[in-house]
Amino acid sequence: MLEALERGVKGGKWHSLYDKVYQNKSLAAAWKQVEQRKGSGGVDGVSMAAFRARAEKRLVRLGEQLREGTYEPQAVKRVWIPKGGGKLRPLGVPVIIDRVVQMSLRNAIEPIFEKKFVECSYGFRAGRGCKDALRQVSRGLKRGRTWVVDVDIEQYFDSIDKKRLMTELATEIADGSVLGLIEKFLQQDVIDGMKRWRPERGTPQGAVISPLLANIYLHPVDVGMTADGYEMVRYADDMVILCESREKAEVVVAVMTTSSGRMPTFSSMDSSVLPSAKSCFASP
């Protein structure tokens, strides 16, 4: 896939990508992936079974809309699911046809960013998982890095700065149609019961493309912390930074909550001590 895409690279950026999104074979493959995931319908009331019954015609029309530039995503339905501890967390449910477009879009751009992602990132990446991340943490602890900054970004998907995300995407992609399509998804309305609004920040947790966008947004954090010599292990919005001393751990907290311009900072994050670490520090 990446070799085929590379024909559209000019000046270090990817220019010819949009056709990889709207081609019939791309949309058909994306629909199969969405179908395998199952799930309920969105605000339009179209179920998976109903979409399947007219899938071929829907995909043909969808391809035409994407080529003509008339495609517009629909609002995202917000549902609430148990989080643990009696709490609930929001989940966005796009309509099925929007999920197909997002899947096709993800298939087109993911290889580009996967090629540049840093080794310390484990979440939502093929061939990597939670157990791999835990093994890496264990190796760091055995090397004596027992002062551990354990970071969980509160409401991460809802807190993403859309402008900064688009800037990060544009470091690799110069195809205006692809960037415009992503921006349309970032500007989707959200419907929760009788309420409808357009969030100023974030990308819906539950949308097909959101995990990839989340990794792209946090990529500068991976690069920055690694370049500064910190041993970080990240799984989505959960990060562990393994340090040799309390002083270095406190510096990490300061770095992640103080704006420096080179990477996103987080004023709303929980930090705690990994149970297997020998020491602790105060939360910021």
Side-chain angles (χ1 to χ4, degrees), residues 117 120-125 133 156 214-216 218-219 221-222 232-240:
F117 283 158
C120 67
S121 170
Y122 289 86
F124 309 122
R125 297 181 64 188
Y156 170 58
N215 272 337
I216 291 170
L218 286 178
H219 176 68
V221 176
D222 300 339
M232 185 173 82
V233 179
R234 181 173 68 79
Y235 189 89
D237 58 331
D238 292 317
M239 294 175 249
V240 167

Short mmCIF file of all heavy atoms in Angstrom, two decimals, residues 117 120-125 133 156 214-216 218-219 221-222 232-240:
data_model
loop_
_atom_site.label_atom_id
_atom_site.label_comp_id
_atom_site.label_asym_id
_atom_site.label_seq_id
_atom_site.Cartn_x
_atom_site.Cartn_y
_atom_site.Cartn_z
N PHE A 117 5.75 6.85 13.19
CA PHE A 117 5.45 6.73 14.62
C PHE A 117 6.65 6.17 15.38
O PHE A 117 7.42 5.36 14.87
CB PHE A 117 4.23 5.84 14.85
CG PHE A 117 2.91 6.52 14.56
CD1 PHE A 117 1.79 5.76 14.28
CD2 PHE A 117 2.79 7.90 14.58
CE1 PHE A 117 0.56 6.37 14.01
CE2 PHE A 117 1.57 8.51 14.31
CZ PHE A 117 0.47 7.74 14.03
N CYS A 120 7.92 3.96 21.11
CA CYS A 120 7.30 3.96 22.45
C CYS A 120 5.78 3.97 22.40
O CYS A 120 5.12 3.84 23.43
CB CYS A 120 7.78 5.17 23.25
SG CYS A 120 7.23 6.77 22.60
N SER A 121 5.18 4.10 21.22
CA SER A 121 3.73 4.15 21.07
C SER A 121 3.16 2.77 20.78
O SER A 121 3.57 2.11 19.82
CB SER A 121 3.36 5.11 19.93
OG SER A 121 1.99 5.03 19.62
N TYR A 122 2.20 2.34 21.60
CA TYR A 122 1.68 0.97 21.48
C TYR A 122 0.18 0.89 21.18
O TYR A 122 -0.30 -0.14 20.73
CB TYR A 122 1.97 0.18 22.77
CG TYR A 122 3.43 -0.16 22.95
CD1 TYR A 122 4.30 0.74 23.56
CD2 TYR A 122 3.96 -1.36 22.50
CE1 TYR A 122 5.65 0.45 23.73
CE2 TYR A 122 5.30 -1.67 22.65
CZ TYR A 122 6.14 -0.76 23.27
OH TYR A 122 7.48 -1.05 23.41
N GLY A 123 -0.57 1.93 21.46
CA GLY A 123 -2.02 1.86 21.33
C GLY A 123 -2.52 2.02 19.91
O GLY A 123 -2.01 2.84 19.15
N PHE A 124 -3.52 1.23 19.54
CA PHE A 124 -4.20 1.35 18.24
C PHE A 124 -3.23 1.19 17.07
O PHE A 124 -3.36 1.86 16.05
CB PHE A 124 -4.93 2.69 18.11
CG PHE A 124 -5.83 3.00 19.26
CD1 PHE A 124 -5.65 4.15 20.01
CD2 PHE A 124 -6.87 2.15 19.60
CE1 PHE A 124 -6.49 4.45 21.07
CE2 PHE A 124 -7.71 2.44 20.66
CZ PHE A 124 -7.52 3.59 21.40
N ARG A 125 -2.25 0.31 17.22
CA ARG A 125 -1.30 0.07 16.14
C ARG A 125 -1.23 -1.43 15.86
O ARG A 125 -1.19 -2.24 16.79
CB ARG A 125 0.09 0.60 16.52
CG ARG A 125 0.14 2.10 16.72
CD ARG A 125 1.53 2.58 17.06
NE ARG A 125 2.47 2.32 15.96
CZ ARG A 125 3.79 2.50 16.06
NH1 ARG A 125 4.31 2.90 17.22
NH2 ARG A 125 4.57 2.26 15.02
N ALA A 133 3.24 -3.18 25.77
CA ALA A 133 3.56 -1.97 26.54
C ALA A 133 3.95 -2.33 27.97
O ALA A 133 4.92 -1.78 28.53
CB ALA A 133 2.36 -1.02 26.53
N TYR A 156 -9.46 12.75 27.04
CA TYR A 156 -8.48 13.04 26.00
C TYR A 156 -9.11 13.30 24.63
O TYR A 156 -8.82 14.31 23.98
CB TYR A 156 -7.46 11.90 25.88
CG TYR A 156 -6.59 12.06 24.66
CD1 TYR A 156 -5.82 13.20 24.48
CD2 TYR A 156 -6.56 11.09 23.66
CE1 TYR A 156 -5.05 13.38 23.36
CE2 TYR A 156 -5.79 11.26 22.53
CZ TYR A 156 -5.03 12.41 22.39
OH TYR A 156 -4.28 12.59 21.26
N ALA A 214 -5.77 10.46 17.20
CA ALA A 214 -5.24 10.61 18.55
C ALA A 214 -3.74 10.31 18.58
O ALA A 214 -2.96 11.01 19.23
CB ALA A 214 -5.98 9.68 19.51
N ASN A 215 -3.32 9.27 17.88
CA ASN A 215 -1.89 8.94 17.82
C ASN A 215 -1.10 10.00 17.06
O ASN A 215 0.03 10.33 17.43
CB ASN A 215 -1.69 7.57 17.16
CG ASN A 215 -1.76 6.42 18.15
OD1 ASN A 215 -1.54 6.60 19.35
ND2 ASN A 215 -2.07 5.24 17.66
N ILE A 216 -1.70 10.54 16.00
CA ILE A 216 -1.03 11.60 15.24
C ILE A 216 -0.85 12.84 16.11
O ILE A 216 0.20 13.47 16.11
CB ILE A 216 -1.83 11.93 13.97
CG1 ILE A 216 -1.78 10.75 12.98
CG2 ILE A 216 -1.30 13.21 13.30
CD1 ILE A 216 -2.73 10.88 11.80
N LEU A 218 -0.60 13.00 19.37
CA LEU A 218 0.37 12.79 20.44
C LEU A 218 1.77 12.42 19.93
O LEU A 218 2.70 12.27 20.72
CB LEU A 218 -0.13 11.70 21.39
CG LEU A 218 -1.26 12.12 22.33
CD1 LEU A 218 -1.71 10.94 23.19
CD2 LEU A 218 -0.83 13.28 23.22
N HIS A 219 1.91 12.29 18.62
CA HIS A 219 3.23 11.95 18.06
C HIS A 219 4.32 12.94 18.49
O HIS A 219 5.44 12.50 18.85
CB HIS A 219 3.15 11.86 16.54
CG HIS A 219 4.46 11.60 15.88
ND1 HIS A 219 5.16 10.42 16.01
CD2 HIS A 219 5.24 12.40 15.08
CE1 HIS A 219 6.29 10.48 15.32
NE2 HIS A 219 6.37 11.67 14.77
N VAL A 221 4.61 14.46 21.23
CA VAL A 221 4.95 14.12 22.61
C VAL A 221 5.93 12.95 22.62
O VAL A 221 6.94 12.97 23.33
CB VAL A 221 3.69 13.77 23.43
CG1 VAL A 221 4.08 13.32 24.84
CG2 VAL A 221 2.74 14.96 23.48
N ASP A 222 5.63 11.92 21.82
CA ASP A 222 6.52 10.77 21.72
C ASP A 222 7.92 11.20 21.28
O ASP A 222 8.93 10.79 21.85
CB ASP A 222 5.97 9.75 20.72
CG ASP A 222 4.60 9.21 21.11
OD1 ASP A 222 4.25 9.30 22.29
OD2 ASP A 222 3.90 8.71 20.22
N MET A 232 9.77 6.60 27.77
CA MET A 232 8.31 6.68 27.85
C MET A 232 7.67 5.49 27.15
O MET A 232 8.16 5.01 26.13
CB MET A 232 7.80 7.98 27.21
CG MET A 232 6.30 8.18 27.36
SD MET A 232 5.72 9.79 26.78
CE MET A 232 5.61 9.49 25.02
N VAL A 233 6.57 5.03 27.72
CA VAL A 233 5.75 3.99 27.11
C VAL A 233 4.33 4.56 27.06
O VAL A 233 3.77 4.92 28.09
CB VAL A 233 5.77 2.68 27.92
CG1 VAL A 233 4.89 1.63 27.25
CG2 VAL A 233 7.20 2.16 28.06
N ARG A 234 3.78 4.65 25.86
CA ARG A 234 2.44 5.22 25.72
C ARG A 234 1.47 4.23 25.08
O ARG A 234 1.79 3.62 24.07
CB ARG A 234 2.48 6.50 24.87
CG ARG A 234 1.10 7.16 24.71
CD ARG A 234 1.19 8.50 24.01
NE ARG A 234 1.58 8.38 22.61
CZ ARG A 234 0.75 8.03 21.62
NH1 ARG A 234 -0.53 7.76 21.87
NH2 ARG A 234 1.19 7.94 20.37
N TYR A 235 0.32 4.10 25.70
CA TYR A 235 -0.77 3.31 25.11
C TYR A 235 -1.97 4.23 25.02
O TYR A 235 -2.64 4.51 26.02
CB TYR A 235 -1.10 2.09 25.97
CG TYR A 235 -2.06 1.13 25.28
CD1 TYR A 235 -1.58 0.11 24.46
CD2 TYR A 235 -3.43 1.30 25.40
CE1 TYR A 235 -2.45 -0.73 23.80
CE2 TYR A 235 -4.31 0.45 24.74
CZ TYR A 235 -3.82 -0.56 23.94
OH TYR A 235 -4.69 -1.39 23.28
N ALA A 236 -2.21 4.77 23.81
CA ALA A 236 -3.27 5.76 23.59
C ALA A 236 -3.01 6.97 24.48
O ALA A 236 -1.94 7.57 24.40
CB ALA A 236 -4.64 5.14 23.83
N ASP A 237 -3.95 7.32 25.37
CA ASP A 237 -3.77 8.51 26.20
C ASP A 237 -3.20 8.17 27.57
O ASP A 237 -3.11 9.04 28.44
CB ASP A 237 -5.10 9.25 26.36
CG ASP A 237 -6.19 8.38 26.96
OD1 ASP A 237 -6.15 7.15 26.75
OD2 ASP A 237 -7.09 8.91 27.62
N ASP A 238 -2.81 6.93 27.79
CA ASP A 238 -2.14 6.53 29.03
C ASP A 238 -0.63 6.48 28.78
O ASP A 238 -0.18 5.75 27.90
CB ASP A 238 -2.63 5.16 29.51
CG ASP A 238 -4.08 5.21 29.96
OD1 ASP A 238 -4.44 6.17 30.65
OD2 ASP A 238 -4.83 4.29 29.61
N MET A 239 0.11 7.25 29.56
CA MET A 239 1.55 7.32 29.37
C MET A 239 2.29 6.99 30.66
O MET A 239 1.86 7.40 31.74
CB MET A 239 1.97 8.72 28.93
CG MET A 239 1.46 9.13 27.57
SD MET A 239 1.90 10.85 27.21
CE MET A 239 0.27 11.60 27.26
N VAL A 240 3.38 6.29 30.53
CA VAL A 240 4.26 5.99 31.66
C VAL A 240 5.65 6.46 31.28
O VAL A 240 6.18 6.09 30.24
CB VAL A 240 4.26 4.48 31.98
CG1 VAL A 240 5.39 4.13 32.92
CG2 VAL A 240 2.93 4.05 32.57
#
